[in-house]
Amino acid sequence: MATLRGESGSVEFETGGGSLATVVGTRSWSLSITKETLDTSVHGNTFRQFVGSMISGSGTVELVYDPDATGQAASVEDIVKANDAADASFELFTTGNTNGTDSVAFGGIITDMEITSTVGELVIVSCNFITSSTITSNLE
């Protein structure tokens, strides 16, 4: 049985039609995926029956803030766009950063951001997002 440690993962982000770039300073990421269900039970059934329906996701990316780090400025600035067209692309990696390998990829929108600065500690940026396209799982 393989054991994965959090130090191996990474995040790639792109907004506006360019190519995905690794977000330097990624501290953590999380992704929750939800599948709605539809009740297909009919009169006479003893037990309820369901089918899967629409799928959505949401999550968080946490960064150690560095204004000069590759990918950070684009992800942080994406939150201040009005009329965001869900043009952001994400790829979240469990290991490494080879596109399409050990990752989950999707289009999405950054919905909010929090910057935390505490005396004697690192400045941390947390961005929450929702998915807005197909979620592709390349987990191995």
Side-chain angles (χ1 to χ4, degrees):
M1 177 176 131
T3 301
L4 299 179
R5 297 185 326 197
E7 69 184 59
S8 302
S10 64
V11 173
E12 288 192 355
F13 177 82
E14 180 282 321
T15 182
S19 60
L20 287 167
T22 300
V23 179
V24 175
T26 297
R27 184 166 159 165
S28 67
W29 63 262
S30 67
L31 173 65
S32 297
I33 301 173
T34 303
K35 183 187 295 187
E36 296 176 16
T37 56
L38 302 173
D39 188 340
T40 59
S41 306
V42 295
H43 287 289
N45 284 133
T46 302
F47 298 97
R48 292 216 173 266
Q49 297 175 348
F50 296 89
V51 296
S53 183
M54 303 295 284
I55 300 168
S56 62
S58 63
T60 303
V61 173
E62 186 179 59
L63 310 170
V64 175
Y65 183 65
D66 177 355
D68 297 326
T70 303
Q72 275 196 20
S75 59
V76 169
E77 290 171 7
D78 197 57
I79 189 65
V80 296
K81 288 183 183 176
N83 301 318
D84 198 345
D87 65 348
S89 297
F90 293 81
E91 190 161 6
L92 310 177
F93 296 87
T94 56
T95 60
N97 62 355
T98 303
N99 293 89
T101 304
D102 292 332
S103 67
V104 180
F106 52 89
I109 298 173
I110 295 177
T111 58
D112 61 87
M113 173 188 66
E114 177 180 10
I115 299 175
T116 305
S117 178
T118 304
V119 174
E121 296 184 18
L122 298 171
V123 175
I124 302 297
V125 176
S126 294
C127 296
N128 294 316
F129 59 83
I130 59 169
T131 62
S132 186
S133 71
T134 301
I135 301 169
T136 305
S137 174
N138 300 303
L139 298 174
E140 297 177 4

PDB file of all heavy atoms in Angstrom, residues 80-103:
ATOM      1  N   VAL A  80     -11.017  39.740  -7.972  1.00  0.00           N
ATOM      2  CA  VAL A  80     -11.534  41.102  -8.108  1.00  0.00           C
ATOM      3  C   VAL A  80     -12.117  41.390  -9.488  1.00  0.00           C
ATOM      4  O   VAL A  80     -12.420  42.529  -9.810  1.00  0.00           O
ATOM      5  CB  VAL A  80     -10.456  42.163  -7.749  1.00  0.00           C
ATOM      6  CG1 VAL A  80     -10.072  42.035  -6.298  1.00  0.00           C
ATOM      7  CG2 VAL A  80      -9.249  42.050  -8.651  1.00  0.00           C
ATOM      8  N   LYS A  81     -12.289  40.377 -10.313  1.00  0.00           N
ATOM      9  CA  LYS A  81     -12.909  40.554 -11.627  1.00  0.00           C
ATOM     10  C   LYS A  81     -14.421  40.594 -11.501  1.00  0.00           C
ATOM     11  O   LYS A  81     -15.013  39.746 -10.834  1.00  0.00           O
ATOM     12  CB  LYS A  81     -12.563  39.396 -12.564  1.00  0.00           C
ATOM     13  CG  LYS A  81     -11.158  39.374 -13.053  1.00  0.00           C
ATOM     14  CD  LYS A  81     -11.014  38.224 -14.024  1.00  0.00           C
ATOM     15  CE  LYS A  81      -9.607  38.073 -14.516  1.00  0.00           C
ATOM     16  NZ  LYS A  81      -9.477  36.900 -15.378  1.00  0.00           N
ATOM     17  N   ALA A  82     -15.035  41.549 -12.162  1.00  0.00           N
ATOM     18  CA  ALA A  82     -16.496  41.573 -12.244  1.00  0.00           C
ATOM     19  C   ALA A  82     -16.909  40.732 -13.448  1.00  0.00           C
ATOM     20  O   ALA A  82     -16.142  40.565 -14.393  1.00  0.00           O
ATOM     21  CB  ALA A  82     -16.990  43.005 -12.404  1.00  0.00           C
ATOM     22  N   ASN A  83     -18.108  40.194 -13.425  1.00  0.00           N
ATOM     23  CA  ASN A  83     -18.627  39.398 -14.546  1.00  0.00           C
ATOM     24  C   ASN A  83     -17.661  38.290 -14.962  1.00  0.00           C
ATOM     25  O   ASN A  83     -17.406  38.081 -16.133  1.00  0.00           O
ATOM     26  CB  ASN A  83     -18.940  40.300 -15.746  1.00  0.00           C
ATOM     27  CG  ASN A  83     -19.949  41.362 -15.397  1.00  0.00           C
ATOM     28  OD1 ASN A  83     -20.924  41.097 -14.714  1.00  0.00           O
ATOM     29  ND2 ASN A  83     -19.697  42.574 -15.842  1.00  0.00           N
ATOM     30  N   ASP A  84     -17.115  37.594 -13.984  1.00  0.00           N
ATOM     31  CA  ASP A  84     -16.162  36.515 -14.245  1.00  0.00           C
ATOM     32  C   ASP A  84     -16.833  35.427 -15.069  1.00  0.00           C
ATOM     33  O   ASP A  84     -17.885  34.913 -14.706  1.00  0.00           O
ATOM     34  CB  ASP A  84     -15.666  35.947 -12.916  1.00  0.00           C
ATOM     35  CG  ASP A  84     -14.390  35.149 -13.054  1.00  0.00           C
ATOM     36  OD1 ASP A  84     -14.034  34.794 -14.184  1.00  0.00           O
ATOM     37  OD2 ASP A  84     -13.752  34.898 -12.028  1.00  0.00           O
ATOM     38  N   ALA A  85     -16.221  35.069 -16.170  1.00  0.00           N
ATOM     39  CA  ALA A  85     -16.802  34.103 -17.103  1.00  0.00           C
ATOM     40  C   ALA A  85     -16.360  32.673 -16.829  1.00  0.00           C
ATOM     41  O   ALA A  85     -16.337  31.843 -17.727  1.00  0.00           O
ATOM     42  CB  ALA A  85     -16.415  34.482 -18.529  1.00  0.00           C
ATOM     43  N   ALA A  86     -16.021  32.352 -15.614  1.00  0.00           N
ATOM     44  CA  ALA A  86     -15.553  31.003 -15.253  1.00  0.00           C
ATOM     45  C   ALA A  86     -14.414  30.575 -16.158  1.00  0.00           C
ATOM     46  O   ALA A  86     -14.373  29.469 -16.665  1.00  0.00           O
ATOM     47  CB  ALA A  86     -16.692  29.995 -15.300  1.00  0.00           C
ATOM     48  N   ASP A  87     -13.482  31.508 -16.399  1.00  0.00           N
ATOM     49  CA  ASP A  87     -12.377  31.228 -17.305  1.00  0.00           C
ATOM     50  C   ASP A  87     -11.146  30.671 -16.609  1.00  0.00           C
ATOM     51  O   ASP A  87     -10.138  30.426 -17.234  1.00  0.00           O
ATOM     52  CB  ASP A  87     -11.992  32.488 -18.084  1.00  0.00           C
ATOM     53  CG  ASP A  87     -11.434  33.582 -17.182  1.00  0.00           C
ATOM     54  OD1 ASP A  87     -11.550  33.462 -15.946  1.00  0.00           O
ATOM     55  OD2 ASP A  87     -10.880  34.547 -17.712  1.00  0.00           O
ATOM     56  N   ALA A  88     -11.226  30.461 -15.316  1.00  0.00           N
ATOM     57  CA  ALA A  88     -10.072  29.940 -14.582  1.00  0.00           C
ATOM     58  C   ALA A  88      -9.991  28.429 -14.740  1.00  0.00           C
ATOM     59  O   ALA A  88     -11.001  27.736 -14.693  1.00  0.00           O
ATOM     60  CB  ALA A  88     -10.170  30.317 -13.109  1.00  0.00           C
ATOM     61  N   SER A  89      -8.769  27.934 -14.934  1.00  0.00           N
ATOM     62  CA  SER A  89      -8.531  26.492 -15.009  1.00  0.00           C
ATOM     63  C   SER A  89      -7.679  26.084 -13.813  1.00  0.00           C
ATOM     64  O   SER A  89      -6.743  26.791 -13.443  1.00  0.00           O
ATOM     65  CB  SER A  89      -7.795  26.135 -16.302  1.00  0.00           C
ATOM     66  OG  SER A  89      -8.585  26.447 -17.413  1.00  0.00           O
ATOM     67  N   PHE A  90      -8.027  24.953 -13.220  1.00  0.00           N
ATOM     68  CA  PHE A  90      -7.313  24.427 -12.069  1.00  0.00           C
ATOM     69  C   PHE A  90      -6.863  23.007 -12.368  1.00  0.00           C
ATOM     70  O   PHE A  90      -7.563  22.254 -13.055  1.00  0.00           O
ATOM     71  CB  PHE A  90      -8.237  24.320 -10.849  1.00  0.00           C
ATOM     72  CG  PHE A  90      -8.715  25.625 -10.289  1.00  0.00           C
ATOM     73  CD1 PHE A  90      -9.780  26.297 -10.856  1.00  0.00           C
ATOM     74  CD2 PHE A  90      -8.116  26.163  -9.154  1.00  0.00           C
ATOM     75  CE1 PHE A  90     -10.246  27.483 -10.307  1.00  0.00           C
ATOM     76  CE2 PHE A  90      -8.573  27.346  -8.601  1.00  0.00           C
ATOM     77  CZ  PHE A  90      -9.640  28.013  -9.179  1.00  0.00           C
ATOM     78  N   GLU A  91      -5.721  22.614 -11.836  1.00  0.00           N
ATOM     79  CA  GLU A  91      -5.331  21.211 -11.771  1.00  0.00           C
ATOM     80  C   GLU A  91      -4.678  21.019 -10.413  1.00  0.00           C
ATOM     81  O   GLU A  91      -3.701  21.687 -10.082  1.00  0.00           O
ATOM     82  CB  GLU A  91      -4.392  20.807 -12.907  1.00  0.00           C
ATOM     83  CG  GLU A  91      -4.205  19.297 -12.957  1.00  0.00           C
ATOM     84  CD  GLU A  91      -3.679  18.773 -14.290  1.00  0.00           C
ATOM     85  OE1 GLU A  91      -3.335  19.578 -15.165  1.00  0.00           O
ATOM     86  OE2 GLU A  91      -3.611  17.543 -14.427  1.00  0.00           O
ATOM     87  N   LEU A  92      -5.272  20.144  -9.601  1.00  0.00           N
ATOM     88  CA  LEU A  92      -4.812  19.872  -8.244  1.00  0.00           C
ATOM     89  C   LEU A  92      -4.118  18.516  -8.239  1.00  0.00           C
ATOM     90  O   LEU A  92      -4.713  17.513  -8.613  1.00  0.00           O
ATOM     91  CB  LEU A  92      -6.008  19.864  -7.281  1.00  0.00           C
ATOM     92  CG  LEU A  92      -6.964  21.058  -7.365  1.00  0.00           C
ATOM     93  CD1 LEU A  92      -8.128  20.863  -6.400  1.00  0.00           C
ATOM     94  CD2 LEU A  92      -6.247  22.365  -7.095  1.00  0.00           C
ATOM     95  N   PHE A  93      -2.876  18.498  -7.807  1.00  0.00           N
ATOM     96  CA  PHE A  93      -2.053  17.287  -7.873  1.00  0.00           C
ATOM     97  C   PHE A  93      -1.858  16.665  -6.500  1.00  0.00           C
ATOM     98  O   PHE A  93      -1.605  17.376  -5.529  1.00  0.00           O
ATOM     99  CB  PHE A  93      -0.672  17.614  -8.445  1.00  0.00           C
ATOM    100  CG  PHE A  93      -0.702  18.109  -9.861  1.00  0.00           C
ATOM    101  CD1 PHE A  93      -0.877  19.447 -10.140  1.00  0.00           C
ATOM    102  CD2 PHE A  93      -0.557  17.221 -10.915  1.00  0.00           C
ATOM    103  CE1 PHE A  93      -0.910  19.910 -11.441  1.00  0.00           C
ATOM    104  CE2 PHE A  93      -0.586  17.667 -12.224  1.00  0.00           C
ATOM    105  CZ  PHE A  93      -0.764  19.018 -12.487  1.00  0.00           C
ATOM    106  N   THR A  94      -1.948  15.337  -6.445  1.00  0.00           N
ATOM    107  CA  THR A  94      -1.623  14.635  -5.200  1.00  0.00           C
ATOM    108  C   THR A  94      -0.124  14.382  -5.108  1.00  0.00           C
ATOM    109  O   THR A  94       0.427  14.298  -4.017  1.00  0.00           O
ATOM    110  CB  THR A  94      -2.366  13.296  -5.093  1.00  0.00           C
ATOM    111  OG1 THR A  94      -2.055  12.504  -6.239  1.00  0.00           O
ATOM    112  CG2 THR A  94      -3.868  13.516  -5.013  1.00  0.00           C
ATOM    113  N   THR A  95       0.537  14.246  -6.256  1.00  0.00           N
ATOM    114  CA  THR A  95       1.987  14.077  -6.315  1.00  0.00           C
ATOM    115  C   THR A  95       2.500  14.841  -7.528  1.00  0.00           C
ATOM    116  O   THR A  95       1.827  14.903  -8.556  1.00  0.00           O
ATOM    117  CB  THR A  95       2.413  12.604  -6.462  1.00  0.00           C
ATOM    118  OG1 THR A  95       1.851  12.073  -7.658  1.00  0.00           O
ATOM    119  CG2 THR A  95       1.966  11.777  -5.279  1.00  0.00           C
ATOM    120  N   GLY A  96       3.657  15.428  -7.429  1.00  0.00           N
ATOM    121  CA  GLY A  96       4.298  16.085  -8.564  1.00  0.00           C
ATOM    122  C   GLY A  96       3.464  17.171  -9.201  1.00  0.00           C
ATOM    123  O   GLY A  96       2.612  17.785  -8.584  1.00  0.00           O
ATOM    124  N   ASN A  97       3.708  17.378 -10.518  1.00  0.00           N
ATOM    125  CA  ASN A  97       2.941  18.352 -11.288  1.00  0.00           C
ATOM    126  C   ASN A  97       2.987  18.041 -12.775  1.00  0.00           C
ATOM    127  O   ASN A  97       3.078  18.935 -13.604  1.00  0.00           O
ATOM    128  CB  ASN A  97       3.413  19.790 -11.011  1.00  0.00           C
ATOM    129  CG  ASN A  97       4.847  20.032 -11.417  1.00  0.00           C
ATOM    130  OD1 ASN A  97       5.560  19.120 -11.828  1.00  0.00           O
ATOM    131  ND2 ASN A  97       5.282  21.269 -11.312  1.00  0.00           N
ATOM    132  N   THR A  98       2.905  16.748 -13.130  1.00  0.00           N
ATOM    133  CA  THR A  98       2.854  16.348 -14.527  1.00  0.00           C
ATOM    134  C   THR A  98       1.402  16.326 -14.959  1.00  0.00           C
ATOM    135  O   THR A  98       0.613  15.535 -14.443  1.00  0.00           O
ATOM    136  CB  THR A  98       3.478  14.947 -14.725  1.00  0.00           C
ATOM    137  OG1 THR A  98       4.813  14.968 -14.233  1.00  0.00           O
ATOM    138  CG2 THR A  98       3.459  14.547 -16.183  1.00  0.00           C
ATOM    139  N   ASN A  99       1.034  17.233 -15.890  1.00  0.00           N
ATOM    140  CA  ASN A  99      -0.362  17.366 -16.299  1.00  0.00           C
ATOM    141  C   ASN A  99      -0.983  16.023 -16.641  1.00  0.00           C
ATOM    142  O   ASN A  99      -0.384  15.208 -17.319  1.00  0.00           O
ATOM    143  CB  ASN A  99      -0.481  18.318 -17.482  1.00  0.00           C
ATOM    144  CG  ASN A  99      -0.113  19.730 -17.095  1.00  0.00           C
ATOM    145  OD1 ASN A  99       1.049  20.109 -17.168  1.00  0.00           O
ATOM    146  ND2 ASN A  99      -1.081  20.485 -16.649  1.00  0.00           N
ATOM    147  N   GLY A 100      -2.204  15.806 -16.124  1.00  0.00           N
ATOM    148  CA  GLY A 100      -2.942  14.591 -16.406  1.00  0.00           C
ATOM    149  C   GLY A 100      -2.524  13.393 -15.587  1.00  0.00           C
ATOM    150  O   GLY A 100      -2.972  12.287 -15.844  1.00  0.00           O
ATOM    151  N   THR A 101      -1.647  13.566 -14.615  1.00  0.00           N
ATOM    152  CA  THR A 101      -1.165  12.458 -13.791  1.00  0.00           C
ATOM    153  C   THR A 101      -1.409  12.751 -12.319  1.00  0.00           C
ATOM    154  O   THR A 101      -0.981  13.795 -11.816  1.00  0.00           O
ATOM    155  CB  THR A 101       0.348  12.226 -14.019  1.00  0.00           C
ATOM    156  OG1 THR A 101       0.570  12.017 -15.405  1.00  0.00           O
ATOM    157  CG2 THR A 101       0.836  11.033 -13.227  1.00  0.00           C
ATOM    158  N   ASP A 102      -2.071  11.831 -11.631  1.00  0.00           N
ATOM    159  CA  ASP A 102      -2.340  11.979 -10.191  1.00  0.00           C
ATOM    160  C   ASP A 102      -2.922  13.350  -9.863  1.00  0.00           C
ATOM    161  O   ASP A 102      -2.438  14.066  -8.993  1.00  0.00           O
ATOM    162  CB  ASP A 102      -1.065  11.747  -9.370  1.00  0.00           C
ATOM    163  CG  ASP A 102      -0.601  10.305  -9.434  1.00  0.00           C
ATOM    164  OD1 ASP A 102      -1.452   9.421  -9.620  1.00  0.00           O
ATOM    165  OD2 ASP A 102       0.608  10.068  -9.294  1.00  0.00           O
ATOM    166  N   SER A 103      -3.981  13.713 -10.597  1.00  0.00           N
ATOM    167  CA  SER A 103      -4.555  15.042 -10.415  1.00  0.00           C
ATOM    168  C   SER A 103      -6.057  15.052 -10.654  1.00  0.00           C
ATOM    169  O   SER A 103      -6.632  14.088 -11.139  1.00  0.00           O
ATOM    170  CB  SER A 103      -3.896  16.029 -11.380  1.00  0.00           C
ATOM    171  OG  SER A 103      -4.237  15.698 -12.725  1.00  0.00           O
TER     172      SER A 103
END
